[in-house]
Amino acid sequence: MQPLLGLSRLVDAITERIGKAVSWLILVAVLVSAGNAVIRKAFNMSSNAWLEAQWYLFGGAFMLAAAYTLSQNEHIRIDIVYGMFSRRVQHWIDLFGHVFFLMPFVLLMVYYLVPYVRMSYLSGEVSSSAGGLIIWPAKAILLAGFILLALQGISEIIKKIAVMTGRMDDPTPHVPTHAPLDEAVAPEVRP
């Protein structure tokens, strides 16, 4: 199990570094968007390349940070239901979801995206918009994001099994975001 936990730590370190680095793409996308809007309003000019660059940047941030979000246990779930269960049951729910939903989906996406990106790259596919950008980098970002998500999914499965078998402490203990109803009601309101 130790070699698998070592692999998990390596994947976590890679996704953390990438996730934190690509967060800057949001700032760049905002600056490009603001600059494009100012130029359009002030000079009555527009550029399809700059418009497409915005969605490249935002898409890159979203796809390349998805694995980091998973590693931080920050993906959206129904906390109202999830929080009602013991931490052991939550681990089982997470493991089941990773094995039977996350991994089949991301592996299928990688399988279909490899030829999709390859064909786009080899054909030199460009945007159908006048003055648009080449398309294959955006498709390659999709592929890279799903590969990172698949690797992080494997890491999460390894960690869930290690936590459930007592081989490691829970790296992300779940804390419910909502207090139980009887604790949330002020003492003077209680009957």
Side-chain angles (χ1 to χ4, degrees):
M1 187 59 146
Q2 288 307 321
L4 291 175
L5 287 171
L7 172 66
S8 177
R9 284 189 294 275
L10 175 65
V11 170
D12 289 351
I14 291 168
T15 56
E16 181 175 358
R17 180 166 276 166
I18 291 170
K20 288 181 177 180
V22 299
S23 67
W24 288 99
L25 293 179
I26 298 295
L27 175 62
V28 176
V30 168
L31 294 174
V32 167
S33 178
N36 201 24
V38 168
I39 290 170
R40 187 173 60 247
K41 296 294 182 186
F43 303 108
N44 199 24
M45 295 171 50
S46 185
S47 165
N48 286 333
W50 284 108
L51 290 171
E52 290 179 6
Q54 289 172 225
W55 66 261
Y56 271 44
L57 292 165
F58 182 74
F62 181 83
M63 286 305 302
L64 298 174
Y68 177 64
T69 305
L70 179 62
S71 75
Q72 298 301 303
N73 198 27
E74 293 293 330
H75 275 279
I76 296 172
R77 63 167 54 95
I78 304 173
D79 283 337
I80 295 169
V81 174
Y82 185 82
M84 293 181 351
F85 296 111
S86 70
R87 190 62 183 130
R88 180 155 179 81
V89 173
Q90 290 174 351
H91 285 304
W92 277 106
I93 291 169
D94 289 341
L95 182 62
F96 181 83
H98 293 336
V99 170
F100 293 104
F101 294 104
L102 175 69
M103 293 309 295
F105 175 70
V106 295
L107 293 174
L108 190 65
M109 290 304 296
V110 168
Y111 176 79
Y112 282 113
L113 280 169
V114 168
Y116 184 65
V117 172
R118 184 178 181 277
M119 186 171 50
S120 181
Y121 175 77
L122 292 176
S123 69
E125 184 179 8
V126 291
S127 172
S128 59
S129 301
L133 300 175
I134 53 175
I135 298 293
W136 70 263
K139 293 179 178 181
I141 289 170
L142 275 173
L143 177 59
F146 278 109
I147 289 171
L148 286 171
L149 198 53
L151 291 172
Q152 190 61 47
I154 292 167
S155 174
E156 294 304 310
I157 290 168
I158 292 168
K159 288 187 287 190
K160 288 293 173 195
I161 292 170
V163 167
M164 292 166 65
T165 58
R167 294 198 169 114
M168 73 178 280
D169 292 332
D170 190 353
T172 54
H174 178 71
V175 178
T177 55
H178 304 288
L181 184 59
D182 59 340
E183 292 176 20
V185 178
E188 63 273 2
V189 178
R190 289 187 189 153

